[in-house]
PDB file of all heavy atoms in Angstrom:
ATOM      1  N   ASP K  77     -64.295  -0.574 -72.875  1.00  0.00           N
ATOM      2  CA  ASP K  77     -65.574   0.087 -73.080  1.00  0.00           C
ATOM      3  C   ASP K  77     -65.825   0.222 -74.574  1.00  0.00           C
ATOM      4  O   ASP K  77     -64.910   0.085 -75.399  1.00  0.00           O
ATOM      5  CB  ASP K  77     -65.599   1.455 -72.400  1.00  0.00           C
ATOM      6  CG  ASP K  77     -67.016   1.949 -72.151  1.00  0.00           C
ATOM      7  OD1 ASP K  77     -67.965   1.183 -72.407  1.00  0.00           O
ATOM      8  OD2 ASP K  77     -67.180   3.097 -71.691  1.00  0.00           O
ATOM      9  N   VAL K  78     -67.052   0.493 -74.912  1.00  0.00           N
ATOM     10  CA  VAL K  78     -67.496   0.491 -76.304  1.00  0.00           C
ATOM     11  C   VAL K  78     -66.659   1.389 -77.213  1.00  0.00           C
ATOM     12  O   VAL K  78     -66.182   0.937 -78.262  1.00  0.00           O
ATOM     13  CB  VAL K  78     -68.986   0.885 -76.390  1.00  0.00           C
ATOM     14  CG1 VAL K  78     -69.429   1.033 -77.831  1.00  0.00           C
ATOM     15  CG2 VAL K  78     -69.840  -0.148 -75.687  1.00  0.00           C
ATOM     16  N   PRO K  79     -66.443   2.673 -76.893  1.00  0.00           N
ATOM     17  CA  PRO K  79     -65.731   3.550 -77.841  1.00  0.00           C
ATOM     18  C   PRO K  79     -64.344   3.045 -78.212  1.00  0.00           C
ATOM     19  O   PRO K  79     -63.960   3.095 -79.384  1.00  0.00           O
ATOM     20  CB  PRO K  79     -65.660   4.888 -77.090  1.00  0.00           C
ATOM     21  CG  PRO K  79     -66.790   4.851 -76.121  1.00  0.00           C
ATOM     22  CD  PRO K  79     -66.894   3.423 -75.704  1.00  0.00           C
ATOM     23  N   GLN K  80     -63.596   2.555 -77.220  1.00  0.00           N
ATOM     24  CA  GLN K  80     -62.226   2.117 -77.494  1.00  0.00           C
ATOM     25  C   GLN K  80     -62.197   0.777 -78.235  1.00  0.00           C
ATOM     26  O   GLN K  80     -61.359   0.569 -79.111  1.00  0.00           O
ATOM     27  CB  GLN K  80     -61.433   1.998 -76.186  1.00  0.00           C
ATOM     28  CG  GLN K  80     -61.131   3.312 -75.512  1.00  0.00           C
ATOM     29  CD  GLN K  80     -62.328   3.880 -74.774  1.00  0.00           C
ATOM     30  OE1 GLN K  80     -63.152   3.134 -74.280  1.00  0.00           O
ATOM     31  NE2 GLN K  80     -62.421   5.212 -74.708  1.00  0.00           N
ATOM     32  N   VAL K  81     -63.089  -0.138 -77.875  1.00  0.00           N
ATOM     33  CA  VAL K  81     -63.100  -1.459 -78.516  1.00  0.00           C
ATOM     34  C   VAL K  81     -63.497  -1.343 -79.977  1.00  0.00           C
ATOM     35  O   VAL K  81     -62.903  -1.990 -80.852  1.00  0.00           O
ATOM     36  CB  VAL K  81     -64.044  -2.418 -77.757  1.00  0.00           C
ATOM     37  CG1 VAL K  81     -64.183  -3.743 -78.515  1.00  0.00           C
ATOM     38  CG2 VAL K  81     -63.531  -2.676 -76.349  1.00  0.00           C
ATOM     39  N   ILE K  82     -64.482  -0.524 -80.274  1.00  0.00           N
ATOM     40  CA  ILE K  82     -64.953  -0.377 -81.652  1.00  0.00           C
ATOM     41  C   ILE K  82     -63.838   0.139 -82.568  1.00  0.00           C
ATOM     42  O   ILE K  82     -63.745  -0.261 -83.729  1.00  0.00           O
ATOM     43  CB  ILE K  82     -66.174   0.563 -81.696  1.00  0.00           C
ATOM     44  CG1 ILE K  82     -67.420  -0.185 -81.242  1.00  0.00           C
ATOM     45  CG2 ILE K  82     -66.403   1.128 -83.089  1.00  0.00           C
ATOM     46  CD1 ILE K  82     -68.686   0.609 -81.318  1.00  0.00           C
ATOM     47  N   LYS K  83     -62.992   1.013 -82.043  1.00  0.00           N
ATOM     48  CA  LYS K  83     -61.915   1.577 -82.871  1.00  0.00           C
ATOM     49  C   LYS K  83     -60.954   0.515 -83.397  1.00  0.00           C
ATOM     50  O   LYS K  83     -60.278   0.730 -84.407  1.00  0.00           O
ATOM     51  CB  LYS K  83     -61.112   2.599 -82.049  1.00  0.00           C
ATOM     52  CG  LYS K  83     -61.860   3.873 -81.742  1.00  0.00           C
ATOM     53  CD  LYS K  83     -61.008   4.754 -80.841  1.00  0.00           C
ATOM     54  CE  LYS K  83     -61.796   5.972 -80.381  1.00  0.00           C
ATOM     55  NZ  LYS K  83     -61.049   6.769 -79.389  1.00  0.00           N
ATOM     56  N   LEU K  84     -60.856  -0.623 -82.725  1.00  0.00           N
ATOM     57  CA  LEU K  84     -59.905  -1.662 -83.109  1.00  0.00           C
ATOM     58  C   LEU K  84     -60.480  -2.660 -84.114  1.00  0.00           C
ATOM     59  O   LEU K  84     -59.762  -3.563 -84.552  1.00  0.00           O
ATOM     60  CB  LEU K  84     -59.434  -2.426 -81.856  1.00  0.00           C
ATOM     61  CG  LEU K  84     -58.756  -1.579 -80.774  1.00  0.00           C
ATOM     62  CD1 LEU K  84     -58.316  -2.455 -79.618  1.00  0.00           C
ATOM     63  CD2 LEU K  84     -57.568  -0.814 -81.350  1.00  0.00           C
ATOM     64  N   ALA K  85     -61.736  -2.500 -84.490  1.00  0.00           N
ATOM     65  CA  ALA K  85     -62.346  -3.434 -85.447  1.00  0.00           C
ATOM     66  C   ALA K  85     -61.751  -3.242 -86.841  1.00  0.00           C
ATOM     67  O   ALA K  85     -61.450  -2.120 -87.262  1.00  0.00           O
ATOM     68  CB  ALA K  85     -63.851  -3.226 -85.490  1.00  0.00           C
ATOM     69  N   CYS K  86     -61.594  -4.349 -87.549  1.00  0.00           N
ATOM     70  CA  CYS K  86     -61.009  -4.317 -88.898  1.00  0.00           C
ATOM     71  C   CYS K  86     -62.100  -4.194 -89.958  1.00  0.00           C
ATOM     72  O   CYS K  86     -62.168  -4.999 -90.910  1.00  0.00           O
ATOM     73  CB  CYS K  86     -60.189  -5.584 -89.137  1.00  0.00           C
ATOM     74  SG  CYS K  86     -58.890  -5.836 -87.943  1.00  0.00           S
ATOM     75  N   THR K  87     -62.968  -3.243 -89.787  1.00  0.00           N
ATOM     76  CA  THR K  87     -64.046  -3.025 -90.746  1.00  0.00           C
ATOM     77  C   THR K  87     -64.614  -1.628 -90.538  1.00  0.00           C
ATOM     78  O   THR K  87     -64.283  -0.940 -89.565  1.00  0.00           O
ATOM     79  CB  THR K  87     -65.162  -4.083 -90.564  1.00  0.00           C
ATOM     80  OG1 THR K  87     -66.136  -3.940 -91.602  1.00  0.00           O
ATOM     81  CG2 THR K  87     -65.858  -3.920 -89.225  1.00  0.00           C
ATOM     82  N   ASP K  88     -65.477  -1.212 -91.432  1.00  0.00           N
ATOM     83  CA  ASP K  88     -66.132   0.084 -91.295  1.00  0.00           C
ATOM     84  C   ASP K  88     -67.168  -0.016 -90.170  1.00  0.00           C
ATOM     85  O   ASP K  88     -68.075  -0.849 -90.220  1.00  0.00           O
ATOM     86  CB  ASP K  88     -66.814   0.460 -92.614  1.00  0.00           C
ATOM     87  CG  ASP K  88     -67.492   1.821 -92.537  1.00  0.00           C
ATOM     88  OD1 ASP K  88     -67.141   2.601 -91.627  1.00  0.00           O
ATOM     89  OD2 ASP K  88     -68.383   2.094 -93.373  1.00  0.00           O
ATOM     90  N   THR K  89     -67.032   0.824 -89.163  1.00  0.00           N
ATOM     91  CA  THR K  89     -67.905   0.736 -87.975  1.00  0.00           C
ATOM     92  C   THR K  89     -68.902   1.886 -87.888  1.00  0.00           C
ATOM     93  O   THR K  89     -69.481   2.115 -86.822  1.00  0.00           O
ATOM     94  CB  THR K  89     -67.034   0.730 -86.702  1.00  0.00           C
ATOM     95  OG1 THR K  89     -66.250   1.942 -86.662  1.00  0.00           O
ATOM     96  CG2 THR K  89     -66.120  -0.471 -86.663  1.00  0.00           C
ATOM     97  N   PHE K  90     -69.126   2.590 -88.992  1.00  0.00           N
ATOM     98  CA  PHE K  90     -69.994   3.767 -88.951  1.00  0.00           C
ATOM     99  C   PHE K  90     -71.405   3.413 -88.479  1.00  0.00           C
ATOM    100  O   PHE K  90     -71.953   4.056 -87.574  1.00  0.00           O
ATOM    101  CB  PHE K  90     -70.061   4.416 -90.333  1.00  0.00           C
ATOM    102  CG  PHE K  90     -70.988   5.600 -90.401  1.00  0.00           C
ATOM    103  CD1 PHE K  90     -70.626   6.817 -89.842  1.00  0.00           C
ATOM    104  CD2 PHE K  90     -72.235   5.491 -91.008  1.00  0.00           C
ATOM    105  CE1 PHE K  90     -71.496   7.907 -89.888  1.00  0.00           C
ATOM    106  CE2 PHE K  90     -73.104   6.575 -91.061  1.00  0.00           C
ATOM    107  CZ  PHE K  90     -72.731   7.788 -90.492  1.00  0.00           C
ATOM    108  N   VAL K  91     -71.988   2.359 -89.039  1.00  0.00           N
ATOM    109  CA  VAL K  91     -73.351   1.955 -88.674  1.00  0.00           C
ATOM    110  C   VAL K  91     -73.392   1.479 -87.228  1.00  0.00           C
ATOM    111  O   VAL K  91     -74.315   1.824 -86.469  1.00  0.00           O
ATOM    112  CB  VAL K  91     -73.867   0.854 -89.623  1.00  0.00           C
ATOM    113  CG1 VAL K  91     -75.232   0.355 -89.165  1.00  0.00           C
ATOM    114  CG2 VAL K  91     -73.949   1.373 -91.054  1.00  0.00           C
ATOM    115  N   VAL K  92     -72.390   0.700 -86.843  1.00  0.00           N
ATOM    116  CA  VAL K  92     -72.343   0.193 -85.470  1.00  0.00           C
ATOM    117  C   VAL K  92     -72.212   1.352 -84.479  1.00  0.00           C
ATOM    118  O   VAL K  92     -72.862   1.361 -83.427  1.00  0.00           O
ATOM    119  CB  VAL K  92     -71.174  -0.795 -85.297  1.00  0.00           C
ATOM    120  CG1 VAL K  92     -71.068  -1.254 -83.842  1.00  0.00           C
ATOM    121  CG2 VAL K  92     -71.346  -1.987 -86.213  1.00  0.00           C
ATOM    122  N   GLU K  93     -71.400   2.347 -84.819  1.00  0.00           N
ATOM    123  CA  GLU K  93     -71.239   3.510 -83.943  1.00  0.00           C
ATOM    124  C   GLU K  93     -72.559   4.254 -83.786  1.00  0.00           C
ATOM    125  O   GLU K  93     -72.902   4.686 -82.678  1.00  0.00           O
ATOM    126  CB  GLU K  93     -70.166   4.446 -84.498  1.00  0.00           C
ATOM    127  CG  GLU K  93     -68.755   3.931 -84.331  1.00  0.00           C
ATOM    128  CD  GLU K  93     -67.716   4.950 -84.764  1.00  0.00           C
ATOM    129  OE1 GLU K  93     -67.974   6.157 -84.611  1.00  0.00           O
ATOM    130  OE2 GLU K  93     -66.656   4.544 -85.253  1.00  0.00           O
ATOM    131  N   LEU K  94     -73.304   4.403 -84.871  1.00  0.00           N
ATOM    132  CA  LEU K  94     -74.608   5.063 -84.783  1.00  0.00           C
ATOM    133  C   LEU K  94     -75.553   4.286 -83.879  1.00  0.00           C
ATOM    134  O   LEU K  94     -76.270   4.872 -83.056  1.00  0.00           O
ATOM    135  CB  LEU K  94     -75.225   5.204 -86.180  1.00  0.00           C
ATOM    136  CG  LEU K  94     -74.623   6.265 -87.106  1.00  0.00           C
ATOM    137  CD1 LEU K  94     -75.358   6.278 -88.434  1.00  0.00           C
ATOM    138  CD2 LEU K  94     -74.697   7.651 -86.454  1.00  0.00           C
ATOM    139  N   LEU K  95     -75.553   2.957 -84.010  1.00  0.00           N
ATOM    140  CA  LEU K  95     -76.412   2.121 -83.169  1.00  0.00           C
ATOM    141  C   LEU K  95     -76.000   2.217 -81.708  1.00  0.00           C
ATOM    142  O   LEU K  95     -76.849   2.252 -80.809  1.00  0.00           O
ATOM    143  CB  LEU K  95     -76.359   0.669 -83.645  1.00  0.00           C
ATOM    144  CG  LEU K  95     -76.986   0.389 -85.014  1.00  0.00           C
ATOM    145  CD1 LEU K  95     -76.721  -1.048 -85.444  1.00  0.00           C
ATOM    146  CD2 LEU K  95     -78.493   0.653 -84.976  1.00  0.00           C
ATOM    147  N   MET K  96     -74.685   2.260 -81.470  1.00  0.00           N
ATOM    148  CA  MET K  96     -74.191   2.376 -80.103  1.00  0.00           C
ATOM    149  C   MET K  96     -74.556   3.725 -79.492  1.00  0.00           C
ATOM    150  O   MET K  96     -74.948   3.813 -78.323  1.00  0.00           O
ATOM    151  CB  MET K  96     -72.668   2.197 -80.084  1.00  0.00           C
ATOM    152  CG  MET K  96     -72.200   0.785 -80.402  1.00  0.00           C
ATOM    153  SD  MET K  96     -72.664  -0.373 -79.101  1.00  0.00           S
ATOM    154  CE  MET K  96     -71.722  -1.816 -79.601  1.00  0.00           C
ATOM    155  N   VAL K  97     -74.404   4.779 -80.269  1.00  0.00           N
ATOM    156  CA  VAL K  97     -74.763   6.112 -79.781  1.00  0.00           C
ATOM    157  C   VAL K  97     -76.257   6.166 -79.459  1.00  0.00           C
ATOM    158  O   VAL K  97     -76.670   6.751 -78.447  1.00  0.00           O
ATOM    159  CB  VAL K  97     -74.390   7.195 -80.817  1.00  0.00           C
ATOM    160  CG1 VAL K  97     -75.013   8.535 -80.442  1.00  0.00           C
ATOM    161  CG2 VAL K  97     -72.876   7.340 -80.913  1.00  0.00           C
ATOM    162  N   PHE K  98     -77.058   5.532 -80.296  1.00  0.00           N
ATOM    163  CA  PHE K  98     -78.508   5.498 -80.046  1.00  0.00           C
ATOM    164  C   PHE K  98     -78.815   4.693 -78.786  1.00  0.00           C
ATOM    165  O   PHE K  98     -79.608   5.117 -77.940  1.00  0.00           O
ATOM    166  CB  PHE K  98     -79.231   4.884 -81.248  1.00  0.00           C
ATOM    167  CG  PHE K  98     -80.708   4.725 -81.034  1.00  0.00           C
ATOM    168  CD1 PHE K  98     -81.567   5.805 -81.151  1.00  0.00           C
ATOM    169  CD2 PHE K  98     -81.247   3.496 -80.699  1.00  0.00           C
ATOM    170  CE1 PHE K  98     -82.938   5.663 -80.943  1.00  0.00           C
ATOM    171  CE2 PHE K  98     -82.605   3.336 -80.495  1.00  0.00           C
ATOM    172  CZ  PHE K  98     -83.446   4.428 -80.615  1.00  0.00           C
ATOM    173  N   ASN K  99     -78.185   3.523 -78.647  1.00  0.00           N
ATOM    174  CA  ASN K  99     -78.472   2.631 -77.522  1.00  0.00           C
ATOM    175  C   ASN K  99     -77.970   3.195 -76.197  1.00  0.00           C
ATOM    176  O   ASN K  99     -78.621   3.032 -75.165  1.00  0.00           O
ATOM    177  CB  ASN K  99     -77.835   1.258 -77.769  1.00  0.00           C
ATOM    178  CG  ASN K  99     -78.197   0.241 -76.693  1.00  0.00           C
ATOM    179  OD1 ASN K  99     -79.325   0.192 -76.234  1.00  0.00           O
ATOM    180  ND2 ASN K  99     -77.233  -0.549 -76.277  1.00  0.00           N
ATOM    181  N   SER K 100     -76.819   3.846 -76.211  1.00  0.00           N
ATOM    182  CA  SER K 100     -76.253   4.381 -74.967  1.00  0.00           C
ATOM    183  C   SER K 100     -76.469   5.884 -74.843  1.00  0.00           C
ATOM    184  O   SER K 100     -77.070   6.360 -73.880  1.00  0.00           O
ATOM    185  CB  SER K 100     -74.751   4.076 -74.900  1.00  0.00           C
ATOM    186  OG  SER K 100     -74.526   2.727 -74.659  1.00  0.00           O
ATOM    187  N   GLY K 101     -75.985   6.626 -75.843  1.00  0.00           N
ATOM    188  CA  GLY K 101     -75.989   8.073 -75.741  1.00  0.00           C
ATOM    189  C   GLY K 101     -77.367   8.700 -75.735  1.00  0.00           C
ATOM    190  O   GLY K 101     -77.709   9.487 -74.844  1.00  0.00           O
ATOM    191  N   LEU K 102     -78.180   8.341 -76.728  1.00  0.00           N
ATOM    192  CA  LEU K 102     -79.497   8.968 -76.841  1.00  0.00           C
ATOM    193  C   LEU K 102     -80.403   8.596 -75.674  1.00  0.00           C
ATOM    194  O   LEU K 102     -81.095   9.450 -75.112  1.00  0.00           O
ATOM    195  CB  LEU K 102     -80.146   8.573 -78.175  1.00  0.00           C
ATOM    196  CG  LEU K 102     -81.493   9.236 -78.485  1.00  0.00           C
ATOM    197  CD1 LEU K 102     -81.354  10.748 -78.524  1.00  0.00           C
ATOM    198  CD2 LEU K 102     -82.058   8.728 -79.809  1.00  0.00           C
ATOM    199  N   LEU K 103     -80.377   7.315 -75.293  1.00  0.00           N
ATOM    200  CA  LEU K 103     -81.200   6.891 -74.169  1.00  0.00           C
ATOM    201  C   LEU K 103     -80.752   7.555 -72.871  1.00  0.00           C
ATOM    202  O   LEU K 103     -81.582   7.939 -72.044  1.00  0.00           O
ATOM    203  CB  LEU K 103     -81.140   5.365 -74.030  1.00  0.00           C
ATOM    204  CG  LEU K 103     -81.871   4.554 -75.108  1.00  0.00           C
ATOM    205  CD1 LEU K 103     -81.716   3.066 -74.852  1.00  0.00           C
ATOM    206  CD2 LEU K 103     -83.351   4.928 -75.162  1.00  0.00           C
TER     207      LEU K 103
END
């Protein structure tokens, strides 16, 4: 799932996390 997969990325995921929260969480 998104939260666990994103944690394993070898880069800063702050922007991606915000987009994911908007796409899934906010909606």
Side-chain angles (χ1 to χ4, degrees):
D77 201 6
V78 174
Q80 291 77 31
V81 173
I82 282 183
K83 290 176 187 174
L84 301 181
C86 303
T87 186
D88 181 19
T89 59
F90 177 75
V91 175
V92 176
E93 286 186 32
L94 286 181
L95 292 173
M96 291 292 190
V97 168
F98 176 78
N99 185 40
S100 288
L102 184 59
L103 289 179

